[in-house]
Amino acid sequence: MIRNYFKIAWRNLTKKKTFSFINIFGLAVSITCCLLICAYLYQQLTYDTYPKDAKQIYRVELVGTDNVYPMVDVAVGKGIKDAFPEVQASTRLVHWSNIFIRYNNKDYKENKIAVADSNFLQIFSIPFVEGNALTALNEPHSVVVTKEFAKKYFGNEDPLGKSLSLTGTMDTLVKVTGIIDKIPDNSHFHFDAFISSVGNKNFQRTTWSNLGWFTYLVLNKNTDAQKLESKFPQLVMDHVVPEVQHDMGVSLSQAQKTAATFAFKLMPLTKIHLYSHTKYELEPGGDIQYVYIFGALAFFILLLACVNFTNLATAGAGKRSREVGIRKVLGSLKKQLVFQFLSESVLIAVCSMLLALTFIYLLLPWFNQISGETIHFGFFLNPAVILLVVAFAIITGIIAGIYPAFFLSSFQTIKVLKGNAALAKGKSYLRNSLVVFQFAVSVILIIATIVVYQQLHFMQNKKLGYDKEQVAIINDSYLLGKNQIAIKQELLQDSRISDVSIARGIPASMNMDGTQIYPQEKKDHENHSEIHTNIYHVDDDYIPTMGMKIISGRNFSPDFPTDSSATIINESAARALGWNDQNAIGQTIVRSGNKAFKVVGVVKDFQYASAKQEIAPLTMLLDNQGISILVKMKTSEIKNLLADIKNDWDSFNPKGPFSYTFLDEAFNNLYNAEERTGKIFTAFAIIAMLIASLGLLGLIA
């Protein structure tokens, strides 16, 4: 019987080719969109689930008065482990960017190097291709690298036991003791090499009140993370308070007041990607809101295709009314007719699914490019996924065909055989309502897409408070050592260059320092208000080079030798310290180590981070040695100018190659995630309109 249902269904499909094409193609496009979105959502929702004990791993974060930091100080992890038996293990990692590595007289710049504790790769269950996972990082100056990294340096040679030279500001040999395949795609970090922390003096310190170490804890099974977190304030009192009292030179009561702003928090490993939105993450994360949005998008696109099917089936009901009447005369029951029509819709859904898999194979590289994910076609060929896809197609076919099946099978035999198969007005109203619904959804998607792009346009074209155009950033200028000032003077002699500045702190870059500061207004320090501030180390040409505006006071100047202990603050810092632009001048701020700086200028707030974040307090300190050189150009012949700058660079024989970026490009990179979201939304909004238009075309035909 079932075989007969599908045989008749196939005959009907081949007989009405236009109807069949519109239904199969429309449903195939919608299934393609749904499966791609579902694969993307699966990728997002399974981030960091690959470690064996993923559900027991938590990252320790620091919550301050005005910010959340995904890293803590060096001693925090071990201190928590030693204090609480609920903690099974702890491990730490520090990201080393802009490291220069030499092998066989060839220099490479690497940005994905980490220094990690010896148990880090074990805790994260990173499989080894060569070497012993238990001992690979036990010795000082040992390093574990990925296969791709090893291929880059050693070619077809066996990398185990070979040494690489770290150059630049350090001269250290590290020995390869292990090879891993790669870090899984759905991880919140991706490094090419892990250097052992054993013997590293920075990892042996015992401080608690600073930042810089990404610290992870493995809790015992069934441990309540919130209950454990509630015990952390005592650790703050035992360890942070004495440090604050010593470093800031304040009384015990003031140190306790300051430490009250410290709160150690546990972030589940599996939630970091979607729920942690700090600006200091190892890599940009996702957003759970996008998961909800794209999930709803997939649902509505599929719903549009189902509406198409329903519309076309009911619109063509008149042509099948006599078929229904004759079947009933010959003894067919309503139940059998329902199964007949449902078999047709399921057959259409299965054909659509097969066509959708073809579309996915062709579109997957494009989808990966705009989504920023790495989804392999093999994912869709996994037996479990195939089973789900088949079930998905059958359920879709039933949902799309259930109303037409009951509608068509309910025709009265006498009326249809007499030729009176006119549909009730209610059915026409239903079709009209469904068409209106289709286009309403399409319009909503179009509006949402416009809103996304307007928001992106606003962020990218917002007045920043500085000029990002025609500014080249010469990277790694610290490699020049004391010659930074000499090359700056040479560049200023070039008529194609208007300004040059040496700096450690550039808008659109998270490479900056930070500390707690307070106004030095009372000798006892008991009632001052403390704030966290970011710090830029700049020279006296930084503000004019960047086109920033000083609204009160003055810029740093060689005419004032005391500027070495002076600072320029932004408007946000002045407000946070309880001052306005005018009375901030001449005030003194104090930072950790009880160092005092006199405020000589207030710079107008500028957007030095993403426009999604509020402008935070910022202090600028005078320093003629930085990590980058900013070059403000006034020529259209940029290529020739950069070639000349490279020659100047090479003439000083630095310990690394010349490299540069442009400030406007660095700024635009802040919004890569938003641009990807906009492109995905636009693509699927167009597809939704296409599906709705196909349905309308079918009704007209």
Side-chain angles (χ1 to χ4, degrees):
M1 181 66 73
I2 294 177
R3 180 184 176 186
N4 188 56
Y5 286 152
F6 281 101
K7 183 185 292 185
I8 296 173
W10 179 254
R11 288 175 181 170
N12 279 319
L13 290 183
T14 54
K15 182 180 179 182
K16 294 173 285 188
K17 293 182 175 60
T18 301
F19 167 85
S20 301
F21 170 78
I22 291 173
N23 262 330
I24 291 174
F25 182 77
L27 201 54
V29 170
S30 67
I31 291 175
T32 300
C33 295
C34 286
L35 291 180
L36 286 174
I37 292 175
C38 287
Y40 172 76
L41 297 184
Y42 177 83
Q43 189 89 342
Q44 293 289 304
L45 293 169
T46 56
Y47 258 74
D48 296 306
T49 56
Y50 61 90
K52 178 184 175 184
D53 300 317
K55 293 183 179 179
Q56 297 166 236
I57 300 176
Y58 291 78
R59 186 175 70 186
V60 186
E61 299 184 342
L62 176 63
V63 181
T65 53
D66 54 1
N67 227 326
V68 178
Y69 302 91
M71 78 284 277
V72 291
D73 208 347
V74 60
V76 173
K78 185 177 184 302
I80 293 175
K81 178 185 178 299
D82 292 343
F84 304 110
E86 299 97 317
V87 181
Q88 189 181 121
S90 70
T91 191
R92 300 163 299 177
L93 175 140
V94 172
H95 180 199
W96 275 9
S97 59
N98 302 325
I99 298 298
F100 291 89
I101 297 180
R102 175 174 294 169
Y103 183 74
N104 282 347
N105 296 320
K106 290 184 179 180
D107 290 312
Y108 299 91
K109 181 180 178 181
E110 300 291 350
N111 291 311
K112 294 184 177 181
I113 307 294
V115 183
D117 284 333
S118 58
N119 62 345
F120 186 87
L121 298 175
Q122 299 170 46
I123 286 176
F124 278 86
S125 306
I126 306 297
F128 272 60
V129 177
E130 293 185 60
N132 189 331
L134 299 177
T135 61
L137 293 178
N138 284 356
E139 298 295 327
H141 307 301
S142 56
V143 61
V144 173
V145 301
T146 63
K147 284 198 306 184
E148 185 177 350
F149 186 91
K151 183 77 173 176
K152 173 180 176 180
Y153 284 89
F154 307 112
N156 295 323
E157 300 176 24
D158 183 4
L160 286 184
K162 288 192 166 53
S163 295
L164 296 168
S165 176
L166 306 184
T167 63
T169 57
M170 64 186 78
D171 288 299
T172 306
L173 284 176
V174 292
K175 185 172 72 172
V176 178
T177 55
I179 310 294
I180 59 176
D181 184 12
K182 67 172 185 175
I183 303 299
D185 294 328
N186 56 342
S187 175
H188 74 284
F189 61 83
H190 294 89
F191 293 106
D192 296 325
F194 296 86
I195 300 172
S196 173
S197 68
V198 176
N200 188 310
K201 293 181 180 179
N202 290 327
F203 277 74
Q204 296 171 0
R205 298 189 347 237
T206 58
T207 54
W208 282 67
S209 58
N210 294 303
L211 298 167
W213 281 259
F214 290 87
T215 302
Y216 304 85
L217 304 177
V218 183
L219 306 188
N220 294 324
K221 286 185 178 179
N222 303 320
T223 296
D224 189 324
Q226 289 186 336
K227 287 184 178 179
L228 176 61
E229 201 176 90
S230 67
K231 302 176 184 178
F232 290 168
Q234 187 58 48
L235 290 179
V236 173
M237 299 304 295
D238 293 342
H239 298 280
V240 177
V241 169
E243 283 185 27
V244 172
Q245 187 179 5
H246 175 270
D247 292 345
M248 302 191 73
V250 297
S251 66
L252 176 61
S253 61
Q254 182 55 40
Q256 290 173 335
K257 179 182 174 183
T258 299
T261 64
F262 276 68
F264 294 124
K265 172 190 172 186
L266 294 179
M267 168 63 75
L269 175 67
T270 54
K271 289 191 174 183
I272 289 175
H273 179 69
L274 291 176
Y275 293 90
S276 186
H277 305 299
T278 74
K279 57 187 177 183
Y280 303 103
E281 295 291 338
L282 288 169
E283 293 181 4
D287 193 325
I288 190 63
Q289 298 299 326
Y290 289 153
V291 171
Y292 296 144
I293 290 170
F294 285 122
L297 185 62
F299 171 76
F300 279 112
I301 287 176
L302 184 62
L303 189 59
L304 289 178
C306 292
V307 167
N308 266 359
F309 187 94
T310 301
N311 266 342
L312 292 173
T314 53
K319 295 181 179 180
R320 302 197 65 177
S321 58
R322 291 183 179 178
E323 174 191 342
V324 172
I326 292 174
R327 284 178 178 275
K328 284 188 173 183
V329 168
L330 295 176
S332 292
L333 301 176
K334 182 175 181 179
K335 178 176 70 174
Q336 293 173 317
L337 293 172
V338 168
F339 274 112
Q340 173 63 57
F341 293 123
L342 280 178
S343 66
E344 291 184 20
S345 63
V346 169
L347 182 60
I348 288 174
V350 171
C351 292
S352 300
M353 179 199 69
L354 296 175
L355 184 58
L357 290 175
T358 304
F359 289 161
I360 289 172
Y361 179 79
L362 297 173
L363 295 174
L364 199 54
W366 168 82
F367 184 77
N368 282 335
Q369 183 180 2
I370 67 167
S371 69
E373 295 293 337
T374 307
I375 302 170
H376 302 285
F377 186 70
F379 170 82
F380 299 96
L381 300 181
N382 182 290
V385 175
I386 290 175
L387 187 62
L388 287 172
V389 169
V390 171
F392 175 74
I394 293 173
I395 292 171
T396 301
I398 292 173
I399 293 173
I402 195 163
Y403 174 76
F406 279 96
F407 172 58
L408 292 170
S409 62
S410 62
F411 286 158
Q412 295 180 19
T413 308
I414 303 296
K415 288 184 177 181
V416 297
L417 290 179
K418 286 183 177 181
N420 185 13
L423 301 176
K425 289 185 178 180
K427 310 306 179 185
S428 179
Y429 289 152
L430 175 65
R431 287 202 307 276
N432 293 338
S433 299
L434 290 176
V435 171
V436 170
F437 170 78
Q438 279 185 311
F439 282 93
V441 170
S442 299
V443 169
I444 290 170
L445 290 177
I446 292 169
I447 293 172
T449 303
I450 293 172
V451 169
V452 169
Y453 270 102
Q454 284 184 332
Q455 185 70 11
L456 180 60
H457 182 267
F458 168 77
M459 290 189 292
Q460 290 181 324
N461 293 277
K462 180 183 178 183
K463 289 185 178 180
L464 302 174
Y466 64 90
D467 184 8
K468 69 180 189 298
E469 304 300 330
Q470 294 283 96
V471 177
I473 305 169
I474 301 176
N475 302 315
D476 312 311
S477 63
Y478 64 89
L479 296 172
L480 295 165
K482 295 180 179 179
N483 289 325
Q484 287 189 86
I485 297 177
I487 196 173
K488 173 184 174 181
Q489 296 304 323
E490 281 197 18
L491 293 174
L492 285 171
Q493 302 303 314
D494 195 315
S495 60
R496 297 168 293 178
I497 295 173
S498 60
D499 293 286
V500 181
S501 173
I502 301 170
R504 180 153 56 95
I506 300 173
S509 168
M510 289 296 104
N511 195 344
M512 56 185 150
D513 297 333
T515 189
Q516 299 292 118
I517 61 171
Y518 60 87
Q520 191 187 49
E521 294 175 340
K522 296 188 177 183
K523 293 182 180 179
D524 58 9
H525 306 309
E526 292 297 323
N527 298 313
H528 60 253
S529 58
E530 292 178 354
I531 66 167
H532 178 85
T533 178
N534 294 314
I535 300 174
Y536 274 12
H537 297 267
V538 303
D539 64 7
D540 49 11
D541 290 315
Y542 183 82
I543 289 176
T545 300
M546 295 298 296
M548 296 171 181
K549 182 180 180 183
I550 291 181
I551 57 176
S552 181
R554 62 174 177 84
N555 187 20
F556 295 124
S557 171
D559 298 332
F560 295 88
T562 56
D563 278 359
S564 59
S565 59
T567 184
I568 296 173
I569 63 176
N570 68 350
E571 293 175 286
S572 295
R575 287 192 298 269
L577 290 165
W579 304 325
N580 60 39
D581 302 340
Q582 299 300 322
N583 66 20
I585 305 303
Q587 301 282 0
T588 300
I589 60 174
V590 182
R591 58 175 290 188
S592 59
N594 210 23
K595 295 179 181 178
F597 296 88
K598 185 178 180 180
V599 178
V600 298
V602 177
V603 66
K604 186 174 180 61
D605 275 346
F606 60 93
Q607 195 74 51
Y608 62 91
S610 169
K612 295 180 291 184
Q613 301 164 351
E614 292 185 9
I615 298 176
L618 178 74
T619 59
M620 296 182 181
L621 302 178
L622 185 62
D623 190 349
N624 288 317
Q625 296 294 316
I627 61 173
S628 301
I629 296 177
L630 302 174
V631 180
K632 181 69 174 179
M633 300 175 290
K634 53 181 181 180
T635 177
S636 59
E637 298 178 1
I638 294 176
K639 186 176 180 180
N640 293 334
L641 175 56
L642 289 172
D644 292 339
I645 295 175
K646 181 182 183 302
N647 291 333
D648 290 337
W649 172 279
D650 293 338
S651 68
F652 288 99
N653 296 316
K655 294 183 178 180
F658 173 78
S659 68
Y660 65 90
T661 54
F662 289 102
L663 184 58
D664 55 351
E665 292 177 355
F667 174 79
N668 290 333
N669 287 338
L670 291 174
Y671 305 106
N672 284 338
E674 285 73 19
E675 285 189 357
R676 288 197 298 266
T677 301
K679 288 178 181 177
I680 294 174
F681 227 98
T682 301
F684 289 133
I686 292 172
I687 288 170
M689 288 188 290
L690 173 64
I691 293 171
S693 300
L694 279 174
L696 189 61
L697 176 65
L699 287 177
I700 294 170

